[in-house]
Amino acid sequence: MSDASLLSELTDISIDAGARIMTLYERPIAVTEKDDKSPVTEADQAAEDIILARLAKAFPDIPVVSEEAAAAGHVPDFGNQFFLVDPLDGTREYIKRNGEFTVNIALIESGIATAGVVYAPAKALLYAGANGLGSQEIKVDAHKPKEAGSPRSIKTRRMPDDGLIAIASRSHRDQKTEEFLNHYNVRDIVTAGSSLKFCVVARGDADIYPRHGRTMEWDTAAGHAVLTAAGGTITRLDGTPFLYGKSADGLANPFFIAKGDPTAY
């Protein structure tokens, strides 16, 4: 399967999961807690069930590491190639009903997020990117995928002369992030939930996204792929590569910084 065909398949799977999420979004939301005290809803599991079934059918030889399965202790053996899935990234945003939640699916190859899809069904916006193919934004209603708009190529922007626009988490803003941004010429700070922060940088509407709070690999991989394909980068805070498949760390991420123009600062 070509990279373009793979990305198209991941896009279709994300929309399918998004449709299920939106059906449940219209009903009262029941919330429970996982062992780590993070919230989980019926939509998290329902979306994951759809994604895992579709991936198993389309890519039977590629292991899948998915958030809810991992939380239940089910992490398959994986080598250099595997999928990372967050079926509902931004569960807190879903519960708040602010629309800033996403479906995340990414392909990892030798530690690198080489292809990914981030779909925000409540906003009817889908972002897809892969190495060598660039990144796109598509307007698509999960319940009317055949009426999707034409893909629009997106790219990061060069650092503006009048100062950076930083983007930060809507639900996980912290003092360390504020202190970190004080080292840069930041003229404005905007907020967003879930993996949409990576996409805002990818489409050139923000320049920098630092993260000092805890994240897991499935939280970042899809957005990482979209941002990289659009011309940006994600690194550890010390500038070293930000990689995936960190079994020794329980698939937890180090702190990181996402940049739209990696050569400028």
Side-chain angles (χ1 to χ4, degrees), residues 44-95:
D44 292 84
Q45 190 61 59
E48 180 167 284
D49 290 345
I50 289 170
I51 295 168
L52 293 182
R54 291 282 306 271
L55 288 177
K57 182 178 180 179
F59 310 100
D61 299 324
I62 303 179
V64 181
V65 178
S66 192
E67 180 181 16
E68 303 313 324
H74 306 302
V75 177
D77 292 332
F78 57 86
N80 289 332
Q81 186 181 58
F82 64 100
F83 288 111
L84 276 169
V85 170
D86 190 339
L88 179 50
D89 184 33
T91 301
R92 288 182 174 84
E93 315 309 330
Y94 175 84
I95 294 166

CSV table of all heavy atoms in Angstrom, one decimal, residues 44-95:
chain,number,residue,atom,x,y,z
A,44,ASP,N,-15.0,7.1,24.3
A,44,ASP,CA,-13.6,6.6,24.2
A,44,ASP,C,-13.5,5.2,23.8
A,44,ASP,O,-12.8,4.8,22.8
A,44,ASP,CB,-12.9,6.8,25.6
A,44,ASP,CG,-12.7,8.2,26.0
A,44,ASP,OD1,-13.7,8.8,26.6
A,44,ASP,OD2,-11.6,8.8,25.8
A,45,GLN,N,-14.3,4.3,24.5
A,45,GLN,CA,-14.2,2.9,24.2
A,45,GLN,C,-14.9,2.6,22.8
A,45,GLN,O,-14.4,1.8,22.0
A,45,GLN,CB,-14.9,2.1,25.3
A,45,GLN,CG,-14.7,0.6,25.1
A,45,GLN,CD,-13.2,0.2,25.2
A,45,GLN,OE1,-12.5,0.5,26.2
A,45,GLN,NE2,-12.7,-0.4,24.1
A,46,ALA,N,-16.0,3.2,22.5
A,46,ALA,CA,-16.7,3.0,21.3
A,46,ALA,C,-15.9,3.3,20.1
A,46,ALA,O,-15.8,2.6,19.1
A,46,ALA,CB,-18.0,3.7,21.2
A,47,ALA,N,-15.2,4.5,20.1
A,47,ALA,CA,-14.3,4.9,19.0
A,47,ALA,C,-13.1,4.0,18.9
A,47,ALA,O,-12.7,3.6,17.8
A,47,ALA,CB,-13.9,6.3,19.3
A,48,GLU,N,-12.6,3.5,20.0
A,48,GLU,CA,-11.4,2.6,20.0
A,48,GLU,C,-11.8,1.3,19.3
A,48,GLU,O,-11.1,0.7,18.5
A,48,GLU,CB,-10.9,2.4,21.3
A,48,GLU,CG,-9.7,1.4,21.3
A,48,GLU,CD,-8.9,1.4,22.6
A,48,GLU,OE1,-8.1,2.4,22.9
A,48,GLU,OE2,-9.0,0.5,23.4
A,49,ASP,N,-13.0,0.8,19.7
A,49,ASP,CA,-13.5,-0.5,19.1
A,49,ASP,C,-13.5,-0.4,17.6
A,49,ASP,O,-13.1,-1.3,16.9
A,49,ASP,CB,-14.8,-0.9,19.7
A,49,ASP,CG,-14.8,-1.3,21.1
A,49,ASP,OD1,-13.7,-1.5,21.6
A,49,ASP,OD2,-15.9,-1.3,21.8
A,50,ILE,N,-14.1,0.7,17.1
A,50,ILE,CA,-14.2,0.9,15.6
A,50,ILE,C,-12.8,1.0,15.0
A,50,ILE,O,-12.5,0.3,14.0
A,50,ILE,CB,-14.9,2.2,15.3
A,50,ILE,CG1,-16.4,2.0,15.7
A,50,ILE,CG2,-14.8,2.6,13.9
A,50,ILE,CD1,-17.2,3.3,15.6
A,51,ILE,N,-11.9,1.7,15.6
A,51,ILE,CA,-10.6,1.9,15.0
A,51,ILE,C,-9.8,0.6,15.0
A,51,ILE,O,-9.1,0.3,14.0
A,51,ILE,CB,-9.8,3.0,15.8
A,51,ILE,CG1,-10.5,4.4,15.6
A,51,ILE,CG2,-8.3,3.1,15.3
A,51,ILE,CD1,-10.0,5.5,16.6
A,52,LEU,N,-9.8,-0.1,16.1
A,52,LEU,CA,-9.0,-1.3,16.2
A,52,LEU,C,-9.5,-2.3,15.2
A,52,LEU,O,-8.7,-3.0,14.5
A,52,LEU,CB,-9.1,-1.9,17.6
A,52,LEU,CG,-8.4,-1.1,18.7
A,52,LEU,CD1,-8.5,-1.8,20.0
A,52,LEU,CD2,-7.0,-0.9,18.4
A,53,ALA,N,-10.8,-2.4,15.0
A,53,ALA,CA,-11.4,-3.4,14.0
A,53,ALA,C,-11.0,-3.0,12.6
A,53,ALA,O,-10.6,-3.9,11.8
A,53,ALA,CB,-12.9,-3.5,14.2
A,54,ARG,N,-11.1,-1.7,12.3
A,54,ARG,CA,-10.8,-1.3,11.0
A,54,ARG,C,-9.3,-1.4,10.7
A,54,ARG,O,-8.9,-1.8,9.6
A,54,ARG,CB,-11.2,0.2,10.8
A,54,ARG,CG,-12.7,0.4,10.8
A,54,ARG,CD,-13.3,0.1,9.4
A,54,ARG,NE,-12.7,0.7,8.3
A,54,ARG,CZ,-13.0,1.9,7.8
A,54,ARG,NH1,-14.0,2.6,8.4
A,54,ARG,NH2,-12.4,2.4,6.8
A,55,LEU,N,-8.4,-1.1,11.6
A,55,LEU,CA,-7.0,-1.2,11.4
A,55,LEU,C,-6.6,-2.7,11.3
A,55,LEU,O,-5.7,-3.1,10.4
A,55,LEU,CB,-6.2,-0.6,12.6
A,55,LEU,CG,-6.2,0.9,12.7
A,55,LEU,CD1,-5.4,1.4,13.9
A,55,LEU,CD2,-5.5,1.5,11.4
A,56,ALA,N,-7.2,-3.6,12.0
A,56,ALA,CA,-6.9,-5.0,11.9
A,56,ALA,C,-7.3,-5.6,10.6
A,56,ALA,O,-6.6,-6.4,10.0
A,56,ALA,CB,-7.6,-5.8,13.0
A,57,LYS,N,-8.3,-5.1,10.0
A,57,LYS,CA,-8.8,-5.5,8.7
A,57,LYS,C,-7.9,-5.0,7.6
A,57,LYS,O,-7.5,-5.7,6.6
A,57,LYS,CB,-10.2,-5.1,8.4
A,57,LYS,CG,-10.8,-5.6,7.1
A,57,LYS,CD,-12.2,-5.2,6.9
A,57,LYS,CE,-12.8,-5.7,5.6
A,57,LYS,NZ,-14.2,-5.3,5.4
A,58,ALA,N,-7.5,-3.7,7.7
A,58,ALA,CA,-6.7,-3.0,6.6
A,58,ALA,C,-5.2,-3.3,6.7
A,58,ALA,O,-4.6,-3.4,5.7
A,58,ALA,CB,-7.0,-1.5,6.6
A,59,PHE,N,-4.7,-3.5,8.0
A,59,PHE,CA,-3.3,-3.6,8.2
A,59,PHE,C,-3.1,-4.8,9.2
A,59,PHE,O,-2.6,-4.5,10.3
A,59,PHE,CB,-2.7,-2.3,8.7
A,59,PHE,CG,-3.0,-1.1,7.9
A,59,PHE,CD1,-4.0,-0.2,8.3
A,59,PHE,CD2,-2.4,-0.8,6.7
A,59,PHE,CE1,-4.4,0.9,7.5
A,59,PHE,CE2,-2.7,0.3,5.9
A,59,PHE,CZ,-3.7,1.1,6.4
A,60,PRO,N,-3.4,-6.0,8.8
A,60,PRO,CA,-3.3,-7.1,9.8
A,60,PRO,C,-2.0,-7.4,10.4
A,60,PRO,O,-1.9,-8.0,11.4
A,60,PRO,CB,-3.9,-8.3,9.0
A,60,PRO,CG,-3.6,-7.9,7.6
A,60,PRO,CD,-3.8,-6.4,7.5
A,61,ASP,N,-0.9,-6.9,9.7
A,61,ASP,CA,0.4,-7.3,10.1
A,61,ASP,C,1.1,-6.2,10.9
A,61,ASP,O,2.2,-6.3,11.3
A,61,ASP,CB,1.3,-7.6,8.9
A,61,ASP,CG,0.8,-8.8,8.1
A,61,ASP,OD1,0.3,-9.7,8.8
A,61,ASP,OD2,1.0,-8.8,6.9
A,62,ILE,N,0.4,-5.1,11.2
A,62,ILE,CA,0.9,-3.9,11.9
A,62,ILE,C,0.3,-3.9,13.3
A,62,ILE,O,-0.9,-3.7,13.4
A,62,ILE,CB,0.7,-2.6,11.2
A,62,ILE,CG1,1.3,-2.7,9.8
A,62,ILE,CG2,1.4,-1.5,12.0
A,62,ILE,CD1,1.2,-1.4,9.0
A,63,PRO,N,1.1,-4.0,14.4
A,63,PRO,CA,0.5,-3.9,15.7
A,63,PRO,C,-0.1,-2.6,16.0
A,63,PRO,O,0.3,-1.5,15.4
A,63,PRO,CB,1.7,-4.2,16.6
A,63,PRO,CG,2.8,-4.8,15.7
A,63,PRO,CD,2.5,-4.3,14.4
A,64,VAL,N,-1.0,-2.5,16.9
A,64,VAL,CA,-1.7,-1.3,17.3
A,64,VAL,C,-1.6,-1.1,18.8
A,64,VAL,O,-2.0,-1.9,19.6
A,64,VAL,CB,-3.2,-1.3,16.9
A,64,VAL,CG1,-3.8,0.1,17.3
A,64,VAL,CG2,-3.3,-1.5,15.4
A,65,VAL,N,-1.0,0.1,19.2
A,65,VAL,CA,-1.0,0.5,20.6
A,65,VAL,C,-2.1,1.6,20.8
A,65,VAL,O,-2.0,2.6,20.2
A,65,VAL,CB,0.4,1.0,21.1
A,65,VAL,CG1,0.3,1.4,22.5
A,65,VAL,CG2,1.4,-0.1,20.9
A,66,SER,N,-3.1,1.3,21.6
A,66,SER,CA,-4.2,2.2,21.7
A,66,SER,C,-4.5,2.5,23.2
A,66,SER,O,-4.3,1.7,24.1
A,66,SER,CB,-5.5,1.6,21.1
A,66,SER,OG,-6.5,2.5,21.0
A,67,GLU,N,-4.9,3.7,23.5
A,67,GLU,CA,-5.0,4.2,24.8
A,67,GLU,C,-5.8,3.4,25.8
A,67,GLU,O,-5.3,3.0,26.9
A,67,GLU,CB,-5.5,5.7,24.9
A,67,GLU,CG,-5.6,6.2,26.3
A,67,GLU,CD,-6.1,7.6,26.4
A,67,GLU,OE1,-6.7,8.1,25.4
A,67,GLU,OE2,-5.9,8.2,27.4
A,68,GLU,N,-7.0,3.1,25.4
A,68,GLU,CA,-7.9,2.4,26.3
A,68,GLU,C,-7.4,1.0,26.6
A,68,GLU,O,-7.5,0.4,27.7
A,68,GLU,CB,-9.3,2.4,25.9
A,68,GLU,CG,-9.9,3.8,25.7
A,68,GLU,CD,-9.6,4.8,26.8
A,68,GLU,OE1,-9.6,4.3,28.0
A,68,GLU,OE2,-9.4,6.0,26.6
A,69,ALA,N,-7.0,0.3,25.5
A,69,ALA,CA,-6.4,-1.0,25.7
A,69,ALA,C,-5.2,-1.0,26.5
A,69,ALA,O,-5.0,-1.9,27.4
A,69,ALA,CB,-6.1,-1.6,24.3
A,70,ALA,N,-4.3,0.0,26.4
A,70,ALA,CA,-3.1,0.1,27.2
A,70,ALA,C,-3.5,0.3,28.6
A,70,ALA,O,-2.8,-0.2,29.5
A,70,ALA,CB,-2.2,1.2,26.6
A,71,ALA,N,-4.5,1.1,28.9
A,71,ALA,CA,-4.9,1.4,30.2
A,71,ALA,C,-5.4,0.1,30.9
A,71,ALA,O,-5.3,0.0,32.2
A,71,ALA,CB,-6.0,2.5,30.2
A,72,ALA,N,-5.9,-0.8,30.1
A,72,ALA,CA,-6.4,-2.1,30.7
A,72,ALA,C,-5.3,-3.1,30.7
A,72,ALA,O,-5.5,-4.3,31.1
A,72,ALA,CB,-7.6,-2.6,29.8
A,73,GLY,N,-4.1,-2.7,30.4
A,73,GLY,CA,-2.9,-3.6,30.5
A,73,GLY,C,-2.6,-4.4,29.2
A,73,GLY,O,-1.8,-5.3,29.2
A,74,HIS,N,-3.3,-4.0,28.1
A,74,HIS,CA,-3.1,-4.8,26.8
A,74,HIS,C,-2.2,-4.0,25.9
A,74,HIS,O,-2.8,-3.1,25.1
A,74,HIS,CB,-4.4,-5.1,26.2
A,74,HIS,CG,-5.4,-5.8,27.1
A,74,HIS,ND1,-5.0,-7.0,27.7
A,74,HIS,CD2,-6.6,-5.5,27.6
A,74,HIS,CE1,-6.1,-7.4,28.5
A,74,HIS,NE2,-7.0,-6.5,28.4
A,75,VAL,N,-1.0,-4.1,25.9
A,75,VAL,CA,0.0,-3.5,25.0
A,75,VAL,C,0.6,-4.6,24.2
A,75,VAL,O,1.4,-5.5,24.7
A,75,VAL,CB,1.0,-2.7,25.7
A,75,VAL,CG1,2.0,-2.1,24.7
A,75,VAL,CG2,0.4,-1.5,26.5
A,76,PRO,N,0.4,-4.7,22.9
A,76,PRO,CA,1.0,-5.8,22.1
A,76,PRO,C,2.5,-5.6,21.9
A,76,PRO,O,3.0,-4.5,22.1
A,76,PRO,CB,0.3,-5.7,20.7
A,76,PRO,CG,0.0,-4.2,20.6
A,76,PRO,CD,-0.3,-3.8,22.0
A,77,ASP,N,3.2,-6.7,21.6
A,77,ASP,CA,4.6,-6.6,21.2
A,77,ASP,C,4.6,-5.8,19.9
A,77,ASP,O,3.8,-6.1,19.0
A,77,ASP,CB,5.2,-8.0,21.0
A,77,ASP,CG,5.3,-8.8,22.3
A,77,ASP,OD1,5.4,-8.1,23.4
A,77,ASP,OD2,5.2,-10.0,22.3
A,78,PHE,N,5.6,-4.9,19.8
A,78,PHE,CA,5.7,-4.2,18.5
A,78,PHE,C,7.2,-4.0,18.2
A,78,PHE,O,8.0,-3.9,19.1
A,78,PHE,CB,5.0,-2.8,18.6
A,78,PHE,CG,5.4,-1.9,19.7
A,78,PHE,CD1,6.5,-1.1,19.6
A,78,PHE,CD2,4.7,-1.9,21.0
A,78,PHE,CE1,6.9,-0.3,20.6
A,78,PHE,CE2,5.1,-1.1,22.0
A,78,PHE,CZ,6.2,-0.3,21.8
A,79,GLY,N,7.5,-3.9,17.0
A,79,GLY,CA,8.9,-3.6,16.5
A,79,GLY,C,9.0,-2.2,16.0
A,79,GLY,O,8.7,-1.3,16.6
A,80,ASN,N,9.6,-2.2,14.8
A,80,ASN,CA,9.9,-0.8,14.3
A,80,ASN,C,8.7,-0.1,13.7
A,80,ASN,O,8.7,1.1,13.4
A,80,ASN,CB,11.0,-1.0,13.2
A,80,ASN,CG,12.4,-1.3,13.8
A,80,ASN,OD1,12.6,-0.9,14.9
A,80,ASN,ND2,13.2,-1.9,13.0
A,81,GLN,N,7.7,-0.9,13.4
A,81,GLN,CA,6.5,-0.3,12.7
A,81,GLN,C,5.2,-0.7,13.5
A,81,GLN,O,4.9,-1.9,13.8
A,81,GLN,CB,6.3,-0.8,11.3
A,81,GLN,CG,5.2,-0.2,10.5
A,81,GLN,CD,5.1,-0.7,9.1
A,81,GLN,OE1,4.9,-1.9,8.9
A,81,GLN,NE2,5.2,0.1,8.1
A,82,PHE,N,4.5,0.3,13.9
A,82,PHE,CA,3.2,0.1,14.7
A,82,PHE,C,2.4,1.4,14.6
A,82,PHE,O,2.8,2.4,14.3
A,82,PHE,CB,3.5,-0.3,16.1
A,82,PHE,CG,4.2,0.7,17.0
A,82,PHE,CD1,3.5,1.5,17.8
A,82,PHE,CD2,5.6,0.9,16.9
A,82,PHE,CE1,4.1,2.5,18.6
A,82,PHE,CE2,6.2,1.9,17.7
A,82,PHE,CZ,5.5,2.7,18.6
A,83,PHE,N,1.1,1.2,15.0
A,83,PHE,CA,0.2,2.3,15.0
A,83,PHE,C,0.0,2.8,16.5
A,83,PHE,O,0.0,2.0,17.4
A,83,PHE,CB,-1.2,2.0,14.5
A,83,PHE,CG,-1.3,1.8,13.0
A,83,PHE,CD1,-1.5,0.5,12.5
A,83,PHE,CD2,-1.2,2.9,12.2
A,83,PHE,CE1,-1.6,0.3,11.1
A,83,PHE,CE2,-1.3,2.7,10.8
A,83,PHE,CZ,-1.5,1.4,10.3
A,84,LEU,N,-0.1,4.1,16.7
A,84,LEU,CA,-0.5,4.7,17.9
A,84,LEU,C,-1.8,5.3,17.8
A,84,LEU,O,-2.1,6.1,16.9
A,84,LEU,CB,0.5,5.7,18.4
A,84,LEU,CG,1.8,5.2,19.1
A,84,LEU,CD1,2.8,6.3,19.2
A,84,LEU,CD2,1.4,4.7,20.5
A,85,VAL,N,-2.8,5.0,18.7
A,85,VAL,CA,-4.1,5.4,18.6
A,85,VAL,C,-4.6,6.1,19.9
A,85,VAL,O,-4.5,5.5,21.0
A,85,VAL,CB,-5.1,4.3,18.2
A,85,VAL,CG1,-6.5,4.7,18.3
A,85,VAL,CG2,-4.8,3.7,16.9
A,86,ASP,N,-5.2,7.3,19.8
A,86,ASP,CA,-5.9,7.8,20.9
A,86,ASP,C,-7.3,8.0,20.3
A,86,ASP,O,-7.6,9.0,19.5
A,86,ASP,CB,-5.3,9.2,21.3
A,86,ASP,CG,-6.0,9.7,22.6
A,86,ASP,OD1,-7.1,9.2,22.9
A,86,ASP,OD2,-5.4,10.5,23.3
A,87,PRO,N,-8.3,7.2,20.7
A,87,PRO,CA,-9.6,7.2,20.1
A,87,PRO,C,-10.4,8.5,20.4
A,87,PRO,O,-11.2,8.9,19.6
A,87,PRO,CB,-10.3,6.0,20.6
A,87,PRO,CG,-9.6,5.8,21.9
A,87,PRO,CD,-8.2,6.1,21.7
A,88,LEU,N,-10.1,9.1,21.5
A,88,LEU,CA,-10.8,10.4,21.9
A,88,LEU,C,-9.8,11.2,22.7
A,88,LEU,O,-9.7,11.1,23.9
A,88,LEU,CB,-12.1,10.1,22.7
A,88,LEU,CG,-12.9,11.3,23.2
A,88,LEU,CD1,-13.1,12.3,22.0
A,88,LEU,CD2,-14.2,10.9,23.8
A,89,ASP,N,-9.0,12.0,22.0
A,89,ASP,CA,-8.0,12.8,22.7
A,89,ASP,C,-8.7,14.1,23.2
A,89,ASP,O,-9.4,14.7,22.4
A,89,ASP,CB,-6.9,13.1,21.7
A,89,ASP,CG,-5.8,14.0,22.4
A,89,ASP,OD1,-5.5,13.8,23.6
A,89,ASP,OD2,-5.2,14.8,21.7
A,90,GLY,N,-8.5,14.4,24.4
A,90,GLY,CA,-9.2,15.6,24.9
A,90,GLY,C,-10.6,15.2,25.6
A,90,GLY,O,-11.6,15.9,25.3
A,91,THR,N,-10.6,14.1,26.3
A,91,THR,CA,-11.8,13.7,27.0
A,91,THR,C,-12.4,14.8,27.8
A,91,THR,O,-13.6,14.9,27.9
A,91,THR,CB,-11.6,12.4,27.8
A,91,THR,OG1,-11.1,11.4,26.9
A,91,THR,CG2,-12.8,11.9,28.4
A,92,ARG,N,-11.6,15.5,28.5
A,92,ARG,CA,-12.1,16.6,29.3
A,92,ARG,C,-12.8,17.7,28.5
A,92,ARG,O,-13.8,18.3,28.9
A,92,ARG,CB,-10.9,17.3,30.1
A,92,ARG,CG,-10.4,16.4,31.2
A,92,ARG,CD,-9.3,17.2,32.0
A,92,ARG,NE,-8.9,16.4,33.2
A,92,ARG,CZ,-8.0,15.4,33.2
A,92,ARG,NH1,-7.4,15.1,32.0
A,92,ARG,NH2,-7.6,14.8,34.3
A,93,GLU,N,-12.3,17.9,27.3
A,93,GLU,CA,-13.0,18.9,26.4
A,93,GLU,C,-14.3,18.3,25.9
A,93,GLU,O,-15.3,19.0,25.7
A,93,GLU,CB,-12.1,19.2,25.2
A,93,GLU,CG,-10.6,19.5,25.5
A,93,GLU,CD,-10.4,20.5,26.6
A,93,GLU,OE1,-11.3,21.4,26.8
A,93,GLU,OE2,-9.4,20.4,27.3
A,94,TYR,N,-14.3,17.0,25.7
A,94,TYR,CA,-15.6,16.3,25.3
A,94,TYR,C,-16.6,16.4,26.4
A,94,TYR,O,-17.8,16.7,26.1
A,94,TYR,CB,-15.2,14.8,25.0
A,94,TYR,CG,-16.4,13.9,24.7
A,94,TYR,CD1,-16.9,13.9,23.4
A,94,TYR,CD2,-17.0,13.1,25.7
A,94,TYR,CE1,-18.0,13.0,23.1
A,94,TYR,CE2,-18.1,12.3,25.4
A,94,TYR,CZ,-18.6,12.3,24.1
A,94,TYR,OH,-19.6,11.4,23.8
A,95,ILE,N,-16.2,16.2,27.6
A,95,ILE,CA,-17.1,16.3,28.7
A,95,ILE,C,-17.6,17.7,28.9
A,95,ILE,O,-18.8,18.0,29.2
A,95,ILE,CB,-16.4,15.8,30.0
A,95,ILE,CG1,-16.1,14.3,29.9
A,95,ILE,CG2,-17.3,16.1,31.3
A,95,ILE,CD1,-15.1,13.8,31.0
